[in-house]
Amino acid sequence: MKMYISSLTIVGAFFTALAASQELTKPPVQDNLDNLKQGLVNNLKVTQSTREKFRAGWMPKVCKDIANNEKRNPADFQIWKVKYNDCSEPWIMCYHRNSPSPLDALINTFGRLPVHTRDFVRHVVSIPSDGAFAYNLDGTVVFFGTTLNNLPVHLHEAAHSLDLENAYPLKPLSSSPKWLQAYDKDSAVPDQYSQSNQVENVAQNTVVATFDRNVPGGIEKVMQGSGKIKNQYTTVLNQQREGGGLLVPGGKCRKRLPNSEAVPLGGSSRVMRARAEVEEMGERPDVSFQDKDVEVLEVVPFDTREACKGTAFA
């Protein structure tokens, strides 16, 4: 299927790049958002799920590309279809066999995200690393080290999808005039990482907004000085509400980013076709959605690697 990029998408991409390139000068309310983790874990419950292995010898193309880019052997990844009780379509996850935490930790932590947040995550990838960081590439979230079971990191990376995959009425939120006005009205940003640029600032404010919306007592209970960022996280709260309760648990999935096509684990397509016949890999898996009530979204390209790979998460 041919994909056409409109002039509006091109203009949006320009302003997104601008928002992602300019550091912010306002001071942080606190060093990091680690103190929000327990409240989020206590109040965002695990969504029950089932899983089954992907067809042997195949994996999503985006997972293979990421594996190769990160100098990892694609054959070391276990590919799983994970179906949560609140969605008729599974998420395809690519889990490196040497990841520091078990597969269940990845599945359950991702399953704590509200379903309408998960809707905008295409695939989930776990890679072992001495460092702890993550990034989002076109809606596919890549976790390194122990971040695979860190709920605020899951929220932060999914927040990039909400912002840059056009989940909000303001598309994208991070470069919209309304967001910049909210930023101008406030005297601070949530934490030090929020100072990176407006894209990261929106993501961290989304973590704050999710806490405020779902944890009894709200953000004022745990963040002294939260009033200094109130216009920002309130803008996120308003946008998620207008977008259909994106940060609120409950409901069923209603739209999804399409799965990346399935490709053989390694080698050229011609060689692998021959190998497939020998190893009886079978036909290419059909990764299209079967539920016609689930709207298939268009993937908006973006890349947060430059900012996220330099940052350690506890």
Side-chain angles (χ1 to χ4, degrees):
M1 181 176 65
K2 293 183 178 180
M3 302 292 286
Y4 295 94
I5 301 177
S6 67
S7 58
L8 182 61
T9 300
I10 295 171
V11 171
F14 170 78
F15 285 108
T16 297
L18 188 64
S21 65
Q22 297 179 334
E23 292 186 6
L24 309 183
T25 58
K26 293 186 178 182
V29 173
Q30 53 191 45
D31 291 343
N32 54 58
L33 301 183
D34 290 352
N35 62 323
L36 307 191
K37 181 177 180 180
Q38 196 57 51
L40 289 166
V41 169
N42 291 345
N43 291 277
L44 295 178
K45 305 304 181 183
V46 174
T47 305
Q48 296 303 305
S49 64
T50 57
R51 63 178 182 256
E52 64 175 300
K53 284 190 174 181
F54 202 62
R55 185 171 297 164
W58 299 87
M59 71 190 307
K61 183 178 185 300
V62 68
C63 291
K64 182 178 178 180
D65 291 344
I66 289 169
N68 289 331
N69 185 67
E70 298 295 340
K71 307 287 191 291
R72 302 287 178 165
N73 184 352
D76 287 335
F77 286 81
Q78 301 170 4
I79 315 302
W80 294 90
K81 295 195 296 182
V82 180
K83 189 173 183 180
Y84 293 96
N85 288 356
D86 53 14
C87 190
S88 58
E89 297 291 346
W91 276 264
I92 302 175
M93 299 186 178
C94 306
Y95 175 84
H96 194 283
R97 61 185 179 88
N98 292 328
S99 295
S101 297
L103 175 65
D104 283 343
L106 177 65
I107 292 173
N108 290 339
T109 306
F110 185 65
R112 290 183 184 274
L113 301 183
V115 64
H116 300 315
T117 298
R118 273 182 277 128
D119 281 349
F120 289 85
V121 176
R122 192 180 189 192
H123 295 291
V124 179
V125 182
S126 172
I127 297 177
S129 173
D130 292 335
F133 57 93
Y135 62 74
N136 191 323
L137 180 66
D138 304 339
T140 292
V141 177
V142 187
F143 297 103
F144 291 81
T146 57
T147 59
L148 69 87
N149 60 359
N150 187 316
L151 182 54
V153 178
H154 276 250
L155 274 170
H156 173 98
E157 296 305 330
H160 286 314
S161 285
L162 294 177
D163 176 21
L164 303 174
E165 291 292 347
N166 296 335
Y168 298 121
L170 298 176
K171 309 178 189 301
L173 176 59
S174 55
S175 57
S176 67
K178 195 165 189 175
W179 171 258
L180 298 178
Q181 289 166 10
Y183 171 76
D184 287 342
K185 290 177 182 177
D186 284 338
S187 60
V189 293
D191 68 344
Q192 292 178 355
Y193 193 44
S194 305
Q195 295 175 304
S196 302
N197 52 56
Q198 288 294 4
V199 170
E200 301 302 336
N201 188 30
V202 163
Q204 290 296 74
N205 269 285
T206 304
V207 177
V208 172
T210 305
F211 187 100
D212 190 70
R213 177 62 179 77
N214 294 289
V215 179
I219 194 64
E220 294 180 1
K221 181 179 178 181
V222 297
M223 181 182 283
Q224 186 175 3
S226 61
K228 298 176 182 179
I229 60 170
K230 190 166 186 176
N231 288 290
Q232 292 167 86
Y233 74 78
T234 299
T235 298
V236 175
L237 285 171
N238 291 339
Q239 284 293 296
Q240 72 84 27
R241 185 182 65 252
E242 293 176 25
L246 298 169
L247 303 179
V248 182
K252 299 286 185 179
C253 67
R254 54 195 177 213
K255 56 184 71 175
R256 290 279 302 277
L257 293 173
N259 289 318
S260 175
E261 66 173 321
V263 296
L265 283 175
S268 68
S269 58
R270 183 174 54 124
V271 171
M272 287 306 299
R273 279 198 297 271
R275 179 179 168 187
E277 293 177 2
V278 174
E279 298 184 356
E280 297 183 349
M281 287 165 50
E283 295 182 359
R284 185 186 305 271
D286 180 7
V287 295
S288 63
F289 295 146
Q290 303 304 306
D291 188 343
K292 302 306 179 184
D293 290 331
V294 175
E295 178 187 352
V296 182
L297 302 168
E298 179 180 347
V299 175
V300 179
F302 70 90
D303 186 348
T304 69
R305 280 178 292 186
E306 184 175 349
C308 292
K309 290 189 74 171
T311 300
F313 290 99

